[in-house]
Amino acid sequence: LENLISKDEIVQHVWPERIGDPQQIVSAEEIASLLYRVRKRIIGHFAIKAVIQKGYYMESILSFNLSDL
């Protein structure tokens, strides 16, 4: 999975101002909330999959109706 992104990488890109500040650690709940909002926006086009202890990756979803074939 070459497109895997870790939780640390998500924090670096989304909350760079909070890196290194022990009073502003990004919680697992904040990351889950972000992923929930992103998943809602990309539904039907992409899926975000979790890889336990590794991170996340996004895959394309082929969306079509059988009647279109």
Side-chain angles (χ1 to χ4, degrees):
L1 298 169
E2 65 272 355
N3 295 325
L4 193 71
I5 184 167
S6 70
K7 288 182 180 183
D8 288 338
E9 289 174 295
I10 292 171
V11 171
Q12 289 174 5
H13 290 283
V14 179
W15 296 282
E17 70 281 359
R18 293 172 66 179
I19 296 172
D21 186 346
Q23 294 185 354
Q24 291 194 3
I25 295 173
V26 177
S27 69
E29 290 81 17
E30 288 175 289
I31 294 171
S33 178
L34 171 70
L35 291 172
Y36 172 79
R37 293 190 312 271
V38 171
R39 284 179 171 124
K40 282 179 60 173
R41 290 187 177 260
I42 64 172
I43 195 164
H45 301 285
F46 296 94
I48 297 175
K49 305 284 181 128
V51 178
I52 297 173
Q53 299 295 317
K54 298 289 183 188
Y56 300 90
Y57 69 96
M58 189 164 47
E59 67 180 17
S60 180
I61 297 174
L62 184 57
S63 172
F64 62 90
N65 293 324
L66 290 177
S67 60
D68 294 339
L69 298 177

